[in-house]
Amino acid sequence: MKLSVALSILAFASVASAQRIKVLGTQFQVDGKQIWISGANTPWQHWNDFGGNFDAAWWRDQFGQLRQNHVNATRVWISCNGDNPSPGIAPDGAVTAPTPKFWADLDQLFQIAKSEHVYLMLALFSFDHTKAGNRNAQAWQKMQASPSNRASFVDNYVVPLARRYAANPYFFAVDVGNEIDWHWDNQGLKQADTVDLIARVANAVHKNSHALVCQGMGTAAKYLSAKYKGNCLSDESLGSKQPGAHVDFYNIHYYDWVRPYFSSPFEQSPEEMGLVGKPAIVGEAPAHGSAGRSIEANYRDAFAKGWQGFMPWTSNGVDANGSLKDFSPASNAFYKSHPTLVDPH
């Protein structure tokens, strides 16, 4: 190899590494500088976009709007309920590889994220997959229940994904499954099986990429703290299922129903909730603000309380919780006050 080519490769690798979000203590960093996740959720344009009716122009425009409003990351559901074969699933719960179109669509999403400088958090599946009424619910329940089927989810879906996008520095994180704590909290599945799946995914992602791993909890801090039901995502808990398994940060979802039971991230710090030792973010909360509180106040107080990011639901208004139009005044005001935390490059 010529010296000039080798130096170019090293320079590219250095730049890519400098762009990656990493964890140091209870903070996120990029190139040795703190970054605060001023994020969003852009879960889907069309339900099950990837491998389905993916519209690259729409996603490019959406990510451009995010960047213009100083949103530095967003969370995307790449499989919404498992009705389509991306990934596929057999009646016995064995997971099969996603379609070529799924990969082609996801390739475009990663290209868009890189060009618009918006970090990606990917939710690999959702509690919707196992929800009663979904035509493949029983198959997805069988996936959860069987060690060999859980392994097939990792081998045929997670590992190829992690390897395929490992070089993209805007591959921020894998959110194992959207609110899959509902599997055991109201769907009757075994918590131990879900925790084992999270552990398997975490090990696969860490082994095959530089992406971070989290599990967004629909039940807020209920299962993340000794203050409530104990921390099922602790290093000890995950490591007991799969040696070395761990999540890199904690991710709670907050809606107004949460407050009477588990408090509010706009009123309590992660430490006060019992989330210690790792960064913690608010991975979902209404884009229009919460009861008695403006979205601007929620940004301000999440930051003041020590949360390391806030990702409103949603940027594109998929339901009644608001859109970018509602939260952009807050994201822009936060950037004005903390520009180097939102864009430390």
Side-chain angles (χ1 to χ4, degrees):
M1 181 183 294
K2 292 183 178 180
L3 179 60
S4 59
V5 175
L7 290 174
S8 295
I9 292 171
L10 288 172
F12 173 79
S14 178
V15 169
S17 178
Q19 293 168 332
R20 292 190 185 282
I21 296 178
K22 302 176 182 179
V23 168
L24 181 65
T26 58
Q27 293 182 350
F28 297 111
Q29 290 199 343
V30 170
D31 197 24
K33 304 169 187 174
Q34 185 182 1
I35 185 171
W36 199 79
I37 305 302
S38 181
N41 281 266
T42 314
W44 58 82
Q45 179 199 11
H46 308 293
W47 192 249
N48 291 319
D49 292 83
F50 299 92
N53 190 17
F54 178 79
D55 181 349
W58 182 89
W59 286 91
R60 188 173 294 106
D61 178 73
Q62 184 73 189
F63 276 40
Q65 291 183 47
L66 293 176
R67 194 63 192 175
Q68 289 167 21
N69 288 281
H70 304 293
V71 174
N72 59 16
T74 198
R75 174 173 170 263
V76 180
W77 296 20
I78 59 172
S79 179
C80 293
N81 70 347
D83 275 355
N84 65 345
S86 296
I89 193 163
D92 66 358
V95 173
T96 57
T99 63
K101 187 177 187 306
F102 171 89
W103 294 120
D105 293 345
L106 202 55
D107 287 350
Q108 291 185 79
L109 183 75
F110 270 90
Q111 291 167 2
I112 292 166
K114 187 175 181 180
S115 66
E116 296 296 338
H117 297 174
V118 174
Y119 288 98
L120 280 175
M121 178 189 292
L122 302 183
L124 302 184
F125 76 125
S126 174
F127 73 88
D128 297 271
H129 286 60
T130 52
K131 189 176 180 180
N134 172 11
R135 65 184 176 87
N136 287 327
Q138 290 187 350
W140 284 100
Q141 290 166 12
K142 291 176 181 177
M143 185 280 286
Q144 288 277 299
S146 160
S148 62
N149 286 343
R150 296 194 293 271
S152 73
F153 181 89
V154 171
D155 293 341
N156 296 325
Y157 181 32
V158 180
V159 170
L161 185 149
R163 290 177 176 172
R164 191 179 187 98
Y165 304 111
N168 192 316
Y170 286 90
F171 188 6
F172 163 39
V174 165
D175 180 2
V176 177
N178 173 62
E179 299 187 352
I180 55 174
D181 42 321
W182 293 120
H183 281 165
W184 68 80
D185 212 55
N186 68 10
Q187 291 183 352
L189 304 182
K190 292 182 179 179
Q191 179 177 343
D193 290 343
T194 307
V195 172
D196 178 69
L197 179 65
I198 294 166
R200 289 172 184 264
V201 171
N203 273 351
V205 171
H206 288 141
K207 181 178 179 181
N208 292 285
S209 77
H210 303 285
L212 305 178
V213 178
C214 68
Q215 171 53 53
M217 302 296 272
T219 53
K222 181 177 181 178
Y223 295 107
L224 294 179
S225 169
K227 185 175 179 179
Y228 302 113
K229 297 288 187 178
N231 186 358
C232 71
L233 300 185
S234 69
D235 294 356
E236 293 75 18
S237 174
L238 293 173
S240 71
K241 300 297 183 185
Q242 301 293 330
H246 64 280
V247 295
D248 297 288
F249 61 97
Y250 296 124
N251 176 351
I252 71 163
H253 295 177
Y254 177 81
Y255 295 91
D256 288 328
W257 73 265
V258 168
R259 187 173 182 271
Y261 303 100
F262 312 115
S263 189
S264 159
F266 313 121
E267 299 174 74
Q268 284 197 341
S269 68
E271 290 76 14
E272 288 170 323
M273 286 190 182
L275 281 62
V276 297
K278 301 184 181 194
I281 69 167
V282 184
E284 283 188 24
H288 54 46
S290 49
R293 296 182 57 86
S294 69
I295 188 64
E296 291 86 355
N298 285 349
Y299 264 78
R300 181 189 66 236
D301 292 341
F303 176 72
K305 291 293 182 182
W307 297 87
Q308 296 303 306
F310 181 27
M311 307 181 79
W313 178 273
T314 63
S315 69
N316 57 321
V318 301
D319 57 24
N321 284 293
S323 68
L324 180 61
K325 182 179 178 181
D326 296 291
F327 75 83
S328 60
S331 65
N332 284 306
F334 186 83
Y335 175 78
K336 186 175 180 180
S337 298
H338 307 283
T340 60
L341 289 180
V342 176
D343 188 4
H345 295 99

